[in-house]
Amino acid sequence: GYASIIKLEEFYASGDTQYKMGFFRVDEVTDTGGDPDYPSASNPLEGCFNCYIEDVYGCEHDTSISCDPAIPNDCGGNDIQCILYRQDKKCENCLEYFYYKGECSVSLTECIFDEDCPGVETCINISTCSDDREFECTLDGECGGTCEERDIGQLKKVLGGYDCSDCEVEDFYNACTLNSNNANYNRCDVCAEVYQTPGLMVDSRYNQLDQATERASLCGWGYNQHIGFFGFSPQISNISRPYLSVEGGSIYSKGDIFAKYAPPFGKYNASYLIEAGGTISNFISSSTLSGIFEGELSNRPAMHFFLNLGARYSGVLGDLDYLGLVTESEDRSGASYNKYDSEIVTFDTTEFNTPLNGKVIYNDLNTDLDINSPLSIINDAIGTRASGIVVVDGDLNINDDITYSTPGTINYLRQIPSLVWIVRGDVTIDPSVEDIAGTFIVLGDGGDCSIPEEHCGQFISGAGGFQLTVTGSVLARRFNLGRTYFTTARDPAEKFVNDGRLQANPPLGLLDLGQSLPRFTEGL
């Protein structure tokens, strides 16, 4: 028979380690008759999944009397104890695979290779009926369906059994550990119920030896009458896929928002809101969960990013007076100040040795900026201002960590370090970098980011195995998040921590932008 789907979420039961989570079942089971491939103790199934140990309790005076150690006096009192007297090794499902063999061109004996045949005979493919894969044929008229040629080595069928016992358990974490065409580490000799089908197992349970581990694996093969057989190997697991997380903040996009993988069960991409003008895929918000877990509020009205109006950039999150920030309005004893009373200085790492004091740190026109050594943004203890802006009129290449220093005594909000990066190109982060800090406004050079073109306004996290933590916010025309970090604790590959610094202490000239973003009542 063909497989029908039982939704996984219908099987979830929190706080328990004993539940099967779901599988593809077969609607019809055919009597095997004298099939020599039918599994038995002498012909065991190979490949066991969801292996576990079942504790068997009995009364100490007669272990044939079952009991529950959690129930007082379950053995009748008189200090008769309920004891653990046996541990059975079991697997919830097992698989075994069978493949088509050929036949010798003249003698028609079974073969796999030419050398299996006598003389100069060759090993050729066979044909069987589409409605009866065991029946060899030469013409469609011999079958209820069609006569189809079978390549040597093509999958013929999968035997699947459930409630297996008498298992040899080598590894409790075995789930498609080897290629699904082969035997697996574990094997069972007895299965109480057997289905003969080209079927597919979906393996998802809490392992009894490690209750903190969640499993969700597709193993084996499935069959569809339109596309034929399809295989899943190795395991597809919800604990081994990188994802991004925004803590204390929302995610906005003018167009689509796409993530290759959804976060694992119980984890979220954003705290509050995920909103896009297009389609949202594989995103979950902790505050607005919906049943299908595919993101929230799809196909909303378009959210415009900062539109370049020449001297200013304007968007739904506020206005950014770019020209006003970088243009000298007043000269004070050889020092340049803009109209917001911020000193304009040329970029130099020594500017970070003291509090930023509201400065606009500007690199040369049409020049990329490389951060090749660690930067630490320090707090202000002298009562001036610890916020500032770095303006990059090109690409920003971050090759080392950028962090906020551990604050000392903070008496006023203006003492909280808060750095805004305004980039008229791309932000590219080296895969070795693990921490960057600040609010990143990635405006780009006006190029098309849907292609994308270089310098168009991309935030590129780098394709590496380290976790990236962004302490602050990122506003960009396009995100390219390529980190592959994952752990059994299911930490995000890219973690965006909205710490509220821009709202608490916005740099001069960006007060409008700071007020438009969400506000917080805890922390900074």
Side-chain angles (χ1 to χ4, degrees):
Y2 296 111
S4 61
I5 300 172
I6 300 177
K7 290 184 178 180
L8 293 180
E9 54 263 33
E10 293 177 359
F11 286 78
Y12 278 110
S14 60
D16 199 298
T17 63
Q18 305 294 324
Y19 285 83
K20 298 179 182 178
M21 304 303 282
F23 56 88
F24 283 69
R25 66 179 176 84
V26 175
D27 295 323
E28 298 180 5
V29 180
T30 306
D31 183 6
T32 60
D35 186 353
D37 291 332
Y38 191 81
S40 65
S42 60
N43 185 26
L45 293 173
E46 296 183 353
C48 311
F49 307 102
N50 281 341
C51 296
Y52 62 99
I53 291 179
E54 182 178 78
D55 294 335
V56 181
Y57 291 89
C59 296
E60 61 180 347
H61 70 293
D62 184 357
T63 55
S64 65
I65 301 175
S66 61
C67 58
D68 186 343
I71 301 177
N73 300 320
D74 199 29
C75 289
N78 299 321
D79 296 326
I80 301 176
Q81 301 296 315
C82 180
I83 63 171
L84 173 66
Y85 78 94
R86 192 177 77 238
Q87 288 187 314
D88 295 336
K89 292 182 177 181
K90 292 188 173 184
C91 291
E92 287 185 348
N93 50 62
C94 308
L95 296 178
E96 188 175 28
Y97 308 91
F98 296 89
Y99 305 90
Y100 287 104
K101 296 181 180 180
E103 59 185 16
C104 297
S105 54
V106 177
S107 60
L108 303 184
T109 55
E110 191 176 79
C111 61
I112 299 176
F113 306 104
D114 289 343
E115 50 264 34
D116 296 333
C117 299
V120 295
E121 291 187 47
T122 57
C123 188
I124 60 176
N125 296 335
I126 63 170
S127 296
T128 70
C129 295
S130 60
D131 59 340
D132 185 353
R133 289 175 171 270
E134 301 298 320
F135 185 83
E136 291 192 31
C137 59
T138 56
L139 301 172
D140 287 347
E142 301 172 6
C143 305
T146 58
C147 185
E148 300 178 354
E149 183 177 359
R150 312 295 185 181
D151 294 332
I152 297 172
Q154 180 184 353
L155 179 70
K156 180 179 182 181
K157 61 183 176 180
V158 177
L159 292 183
Y162 302 88
D163 193 18
C164 305
S165 59
D166 295 341
C167 300
E168 296 178 14
V169 180
E170 300 295 333
D171 180 4
F172 283 92
Y173 290 92
N174 176 216
C176 300
T177 303
L178 302 182
N179 185 284
S180 60
N181 295 351
N182 303 316
N184 295 85
Y185 288 140
N186 306 319
R187 63 186 297 144
C188 298
D189 291 336
V190 176
C191 283
E193 185 177 11
V194 174
Y195 297 113
Q196 182 180 8
T197 170
L200 171 67
M201 302 294 180
V202 176
D203 167 8
S204 180
R205 62 170 285 129
Y206 287 95
N207 188 288
Q208 290 187 328
L209 295 187
D210 183 359
Q211 297 180 12
T213 301
E214 295 183 29
R215 307 297 295 273
S217 304
L218 299 179
C219 305
W221 292 80
Y223 181 81
N224 179 280
Q225 59 181 330
H226 300 294
I227 64 174
F229 286 100
F230 49 94
F232 292 84
S233 177
Q235 69 183 36
I236 301 173
S237 172
N238 68 349
I239 64 172
S240 61
R241 300 300 182 192
Y243 70 101
L244 69 95
S245 176
V246 176
E247 298 184 5
S250 305
I251 298 176
Y252 302 89
S253 174
K254 175 183 177 182
D256 297 342
I257 303 179
F258 171 77
K260 189 171 184 180
Y261 304 107
F265 184 72
K267 298 290 185 177
Y268 310 102
N269 301 109
S271 300
Y272 303 119
L273 174 69
I274 303 172
E275 186 165 0
T279 300
I280 303 173
S281 301
N282 290 327
F283 277 83
I284 300 173
S285 169
S286 62
S287 65
T288 52
L289 289 179
S290 62
I292 57 174
F293 305 116
E294 284 293 323
E296 313 303 326
L297 303 175
S298 61
N299 295 301
R300 304 291 286 177
M303 293 183 57
H304 293 290
F305 194 70
F306 290 101
L307 301 177
N308 188 349
L309 304 179
R312 303 176 67 91
Y313 290 83
S314 178
V316 295
L317 298 179
D319 291 338
L320 193 157
D321 182 10
Y322 180 86
L323 191 60
L325 290 172
V326 300
T327 301
E328 179 183 346
S329 176
E330 183 180 355
D331 186 295
R332 301 179 190 173
S333 301
S336 297
Y337 284 79
N338 64 21
K339 66 181 184 180
Y340 298 104
D341 201 34
S342 296
E343 184 181 1
I344 304 172
V345 298
T346 301
F347 184 90
D348 191 292
T349 56
T350 60
E351 295 291 340
F352 296 87
N353 295 338
T354 57
L356 295 174
N357 199 22
K359 294 177 182 176
V360 173
I361 304 173
Y362 186 42
N363 76 317
D364 294 332
L365 186 66
N366 298 319
T367 303
D368 297 342
L369 176 61
D370 297 331
I371 305 298
N372 294 322
S373 58
L375 286 183
S376 180
I377 302 111
I378 64 177
N379 63 292
D380 177 36
I382 59 176
T384 54
R385 183 180 290 273
S387 62
I389 302 172
V390 176
V391 177
V392 182
D393 195 34
D395 292 337
L396 172 61
N397 302 307
I398 302 175
N399 302 315
D400 214 324
D401 287 353
I402 303 170
T403 57
Y404 287 117
S405 64
T406 303
T409 300
I410 298 293
N411 296 314
Y412 304 98
L413 291 178
R414 65 174 179 267
Q415 294 177 274
I416 298 171
S418 175
L419 179 61
V420 174
W421 302 81
I422 299 175
V423 182
R424 297 220 288 186
D426 294 336
V427 173
T428 302
I429 303 165
D430 187 89
S432 64
V433 174
E434 298 182 64
D435 294 280
I436 62 173
T439 298
F440 294 83
I441 303 175
V442 193
L443 299 171
D445 65 355
D448 186 356
C449 260
S450 63
I451 301 177
E453 297 177 358
E454 292 183 348
H455 325 299
C456 68
Q458 302 178 86
F459 181 87
I460 304 170
S461 69
F466 293 104
Q467 182 186 47
L468 175 66
T469 299
V470 181
T471 303
S473 302
V474 180
L475 292 77
R477 295 187 179 277
R478 180 184 176 91
F479 287 81
N480 185 345
L481 305 179
R483 296 290 174 116
T484 56
Y485 171 89
F486 64 87
T487 66
T488 55
R490 301 175 298 157
D491 296 321
E494 288 99 353
K495 181 167 65 173
F496 296 80
V497 182
N498 191 332
D499 56 5
R501 292 175 188 266
L502 179 62
Q503 296 91 322
N505 187 21
L508 297 174
L510 296 180
L511 296 177
D512 179 48
L513 182 64
Q515 291 173 355
S516 66
L517 295 177
R519 292 190 174 275
F520 302 87
T521 57
E522 296 182 12
L524 299 178

